[in-house]
Amino acid sequence: MSNWQSYNSNLTRYSDLGFTLDLSLMDLTNDFLKEMEPKVDRAIKDMVALEAGEVANPDEGRMVGHYWLRDANLAPNDTIKSQITEPLAALKEFSEKVLTGEIAPPNGGRFENLLIVGIGGSALGPQFIYDALGEDSKLDTYFFDNTDPTGLDRTLRAIGGGLNKTLVLVVSKSGGTPETRNGMLEAQEFFESEKLDFAKHAVAITGEGSKLFNYATEHNWLTTFPMEDWVGGRTSVMSTVGLVPAALQGIDIDSFLAGAAAMDKKTRSQNLADNAALRLALGWYAAGNGKGEKDMVILPYKDSLGLFSKYLQQLVMESLGKEHDLDGNVVNQGIAVYGNKGSTDQHAYVQQLRDGVKNFFATFIEVRKGRDGESIEVDPSITTADYLQGFLRGTRKALYESGRNSITISINEVTPFTVGMIIALYERAVSFYASLVNINAYHQPGVEAGKKAATTFLELLNQVRGALTGWDKTAGDIAEATDNNPEDVYHALVHLAANGEATQSEGATPAEDKFKI
């Protein structure tokens, strides 16, 4: 089959949405599609059950309802429907009052800055939306998305003298996420050091009755918005997590939700040829033999989509990176995701993509419209947008000629509607792929294991602090006294020394290093 024939037969086109999915360079054979029919049928049934409210996260006994967020009429009961519509109305009213100055800083004027304190999906979603759509934002937006003290300080320095006009959103479903709690406490301390009442600047987005909810209520924060247990962090961008900041930035959230709803509707089709999300998942399956044998490289050819690969990294890898399948078998599933914007990376890792290890498939994100208004000619009859298109098409062709497969997703321009579309596309593709490989996309035992390990280290750190008294001691001395692993103790001691709580005298080996208060 010629490339032209393959293009025509492997294109899913939603003309009314200005969207296409091109799988012509993925080499999907008819035999493969025939073989996959039973898995495809199951994936469609699984999606129907998911959207109907079947418990999808048995670890936590909860449904997964991010699809209802963009169409509340799909919610399985009136209670959940109201959990969608009422906060949406409330956040629109709140954002309008902030932007008109009805809700204002205690010292006068209007809020001009927004500081979002969160981590994972509670930060990545809002970061991506702000970077993609916030060019004309009503509020300059900053993020605390880690517990790195120098990172927190750098953000506060960037806000600078605008702290008194800064609104703070603290985002945590449980209210107990350590990084978010730490960021909140650091922000609160800084506000108070500047003689500002933090509560008059603070808003909580959290589960009702959580630690954060109770703290915000007791301290009379401006308001709280709910996070429901049927919305996971990595799919929360169309809940209050993403919509509150977007509304405050002046982004058209109704259009954003409408774009997602439109893609949801298209990809409910049980006809494979018309279902872009299911076809995308099949492309992933074929590329990695259903075992994630190849990485997914995301190359958006638009600066405003530069964070899309980072956003997808969490969505795809946290959802699909699982040790066990649904039958309890050890399968170690997952797809590694990385990438950055084109054509920037044609001067970076595209060299390896074309000539190095064939351990990936690429996804090009094409935005057809170059810019609003006229463009100059940088060469005779050639504009910068022409060059960008040339680099995309040239790189795509060069990769395929050297045996590298790729997918191309095209949209007309970057708008709230189209960003909503592509987020929904990938959310649904992740669900379909999980069904195809028989895993649960909606739990994260590995993340929980990491949190437990961090807690164990903090407990050890306090034991080491208590034992570091009197004369100089080695890691072995303290390990014996506290009944801990000497290497773990050594790392705790180095941490204390680096942060001024102890002194370190190096010996010939780490075992001979000595520490004291």
Side-chain angles (χ1 to χ4, degrees), residues 90-311:
L91 72 88
K92 286 181 178 180
E93 181 182 1
F94 176 78
S95 63
E96 179 68 18
K97 288 181 178 179
V98 169
L99 296 179
T100 58
E102 186 175 343
I103 295 176
N107 293 348
R110 294 187 182 184
F111 284 111
E112 298 176 359
N113 303 311
L114 182 63
L115 174 61
I116 299 173
V117 182
I119 196 164
S122 297
L124 269 173
Q127 281 175 322
F128 170 52
I129 297 305
Y130 181 63
D131 202 51
L133 302 171
E135 183 178 359
D136 299 318
S137 175
K138 307 295 185 182
L139 300 179
D140 292 333
T141 304
Y142 305 85
F143 294 88
F144 277 4
D145 63 351
N146 201 356
T147 190
D148 173 13
T150 57
L152 303 177
D153 291 344
R154 182 172 62 180
T155 299
L156 291 170
R157 284 195 301 271
I159 295 173
L163 194 70
N164 65 327
K165 296 182 188 292
T166 299
L167 184 67
V168 182
L169 300 183
V170 183
V171 189
S172 173
K173 184 186 295 184
S174 68
T177 307
E179 298 93 334
T180 304
R181 182 209 58 193
N182 295 352
M184 179 200 76
L185 293 174
E186 289 265 5
Q188 179 174 280
E189 171 64 24
F190 194 75
F191 270 81
E192 291 175 355
S193 72
E194 297 294 314
K195 304 295 189 284
L196 298 171
D197 185 351
F198 182 70
K200 296 294 191 296
H201 295 254
V203 173
I205 301 175
T206 187
E208 187 171 352
S210 73
K211 294 178 182 177
L212 177 58
F213 178 90
N214 293 334
Y215 186 87
T217 302
E218 290 166 10
H219 290 81
N220 297 312
W221 285 16
L222 286 172
T223 192
T224 63
F225 292 101
M227 289 178 70
E228 303 302 339
D229 63 1
W230 42 264
V231 179
R234 58 190 174 276
T235 54
S236 65
V237 72
M238 293 181 194
S239 72
T240 52
V241 171
L243 297 183
V244 173
L248 287 165
Q249 291 155 358
I251 294 169
D252 186 347
I253 60 174
D254 288 330
S255 182
F256 179 54
L257 294 169
M263 181 59 70
D264 288 345
K265 185 175 181 180
K266 292 285 190 183
T267 53
R268 289 190 186 103
S269 173
Q270 299 196 15
N271 179 359
L272 177 59
D274 297 329
N275 191 323
L278 185 49
R279 287 183 62 80
L280 183 59
L282 282 170
W284 299 350
Y285 190 103
N289 293 319
K291 299 175 183 177
E293 292 174 356
K294 290 189 177 181
D295 301 342
M296 182 190 305
V297 180
I298 304 294
L299 292 169
Y301 275 66
K302 203 67 172 176
D303 286 1
S304 58
L305 298 180
L307 289 182
F308 194 43
S309 60
K310 185 178 179 182
Y311 177 78

Side-chain angles (χ1 to χ4, degrees), residues 355-372:
D355 294 343
V357 183
K358 294 183 181 179
N359 63 344
F360 73 95
F361 63 96
T363 301
F364 294 91
I365 311 292
E366 175 191 16
V367 180
R368 299 187 184 98
K369 185 176 180 179
R371 64 151 53 102
D372 292 325

Side-chain angles (χ1 to χ4, degrees), residues 288-295 316-336 433 437-440 443 445-446:
N289 293 319
K291 299 175 183 177
E293 292 174 356
K294 290 189 177 181
D295 301 342
V316 174
M317 294 179 72
E318 191 171 352
S319 298
L320 302 182
K322 302 296 160 65
E323 182 179 8
H324 297 97
D325 68 11
L326 293 173
D327 300 318
N329 302 309
V330 175
V331 291
N332 298 116
Q333 274 287 357
I335 303 176
Y433 183 87
V437 299
N438 194 39
I439 61 169
N440 184 347
H443 67 161

Side-chain angles (χ1 to χ4, degrees), residues 3 29 129 171 197 207 386 425 447 451 477 486-487 492 513:
N3 284 347
T29 66
I129 297 305
V171 189
D197 185 351
D386 297 336
L425 173 75
V447 175
K451 291 179 181 178
D477 294 333
E487 183 181 345
D513 289 4

Side-chain angles (χ1 to χ4, degrees), residues 377-389:
E377 295 181 4
V378 293
D379 281 323
S381 302
I382 300 295
T383 68
T384 48
D386 297 336
Y387 263 107
L388 191 64
Q389 177 68 189

Side-chain angles (χ1 to χ4, degrees), residues 289-502:
N289 293 319
K291 299 175 183 177
E293 292 174 356
K294 290 189 177 181
D295 301 342
M296 182 190 305
V297 180
I298 304 294
L299 292 169
Y301 275 66
K302 203 67 172 176
D303 286 1
S304 58
L305 298 180
L307 289 182
F308 194 43
S309 60
K310 185 178 179 182
Y311 177 78
L312 291 180
Q313 200 168 61
Q314 182 186 25
L315 175 64
V316 174
M317 294 179 72
E318 191 171 352
S319 298
L320 302 182
K322 302 296 160 65
E323 182 179 8
H324 297 97
D325 68 11
L326 293 173
D327 300 318
N329 302 309
V330 175
V331 291
N332 298 116
Q333 274 287 357
I335 303 176
V337 180
Y338 63 95
N340 209 330
K341 66 186 180 184
S343 65
T344 301
D345 292 295
Q346 291 179 209
H347 302 274
Y349 57 71
V350 167
Q351 168 62 33
Q352 177 171 314
L353 297 186
R354 189 182 188 282
D355 294 343
V357 183
K358 294 183 181 179
N359 63 344
F360 73 95
F361 63 96
T363 301
F364 294 91
I365 311 292
E366 175 191 16
V367 180
R368 299 187 184 98
K369 185 176 180 179
R371 64 151 53 102
D372 292 325
E374 297 296 320
S375 291
I376 65 167
E377 295 181 4
V378 293
D379 281 323
S381 302
I382 300 295
T383 68
T384 48
D386 297 336
Y387 263 107
L388 191 64
Q389 177 68 189
F391 287 134
L392 186 157
R393 293 293 157 189
T395 303
R396 177 179 176 272
K397 183 177 182 181
L399 291 179
Y400 191 66
E401 286 176 345
S402 60
R404 278 75 170 170
N405 295 116
S406 68
I407 297 164
T408 302
I409 292 170
S410 302
I411 57 177
N412 285 338
E413 55 187 316
V414 178
T415 66
F417 188 89
T418 58
V419 171
M421 278 197 320
I422 59 175
I423 288 175
L425 173 75
Y426 274 89
E427 286 179 347
R428 296 180 77 81
V430 162
S431 285
F432 283 131
Y433 183 87
S435 294
L436 295 176
V437 299
N438 194 39
I439 61 169
N440 184 347
Y442 297 109
H443 67 161
Q444 48 279 338
V447 175
E448 299 307 316
K451 291 179 181 178
K452 290 178 182 177
T455 300
T456 299
F457 176 80
L458 294 175
E459 292 170 352
L460 166 69
L461 192 62
N462 277 331
Q463 290 180 39
V464 171
R465 281 190 176 106
L468 192 59
T469 57
W471 60 91
D472 292 1
K473 295 181 180 179
T474 65
D477 294 333
I478 293 179
E480 184 177 355
T482 61
D483 193 25
N484 282 300
N485 180 291
E487 183 181 345
D488 293 339
V489 169
Y490 178 78
H491 292 306
L493 287 165
V494 170
H495 171 76
L496 294 175
N499 287 278
E501 293 189 52

